[in-house]
Amino acid sequence: RLDVSGCSLQADGVGRICDALHSNATLTHLGLSSNVALLKGLESVVQLLKSSPCNVRHLEMRENHFGEVAHEAFRDLLLVNH
């Protein structure tokens, strides 16, 4: 479990965390709520979730100022990983 909710992370910080987790096969919970990840941060999260050996099963991302484009990115991710 990794929870960095409310840590004022911006897109670059979220991207660095996701980059570091690309080879992690044990993390199952990732908490990124209440940061300022914006769309660029969301793209990093989507790439992490698409990567192997990603085993994240619980993802919290509330209150990150993503906007409407976030819905499309997550929809595409779900279609790939159904």
Side-chain angles (χ1 to χ4, degrees), residues 2 4 8 11 15 21-22 24 37 43 52 55 59-60 63-64 71 74-75:
L2 175 62
V4 292
S8 300
L21 294 174
H22 270 281
N24 185 307
E43 290 170 352
S52 181
N55 285 317
L59 177 64
E60 295 180 27
E63 301 175 27
N64 271 289
H71 299 286
F74 275 115
R75 182 199 68 219

Side-chain angles (χ1 to χ4, degrees), residues 9-26:
L9 293 174
Q10 296 184 4
D12 289 340
V14 171
R16 287 184 184 133
I17 288 172
C18 291
D19 288 345
L21 294 174
H22 270 281
S23 60
N24 185 307
T26 59

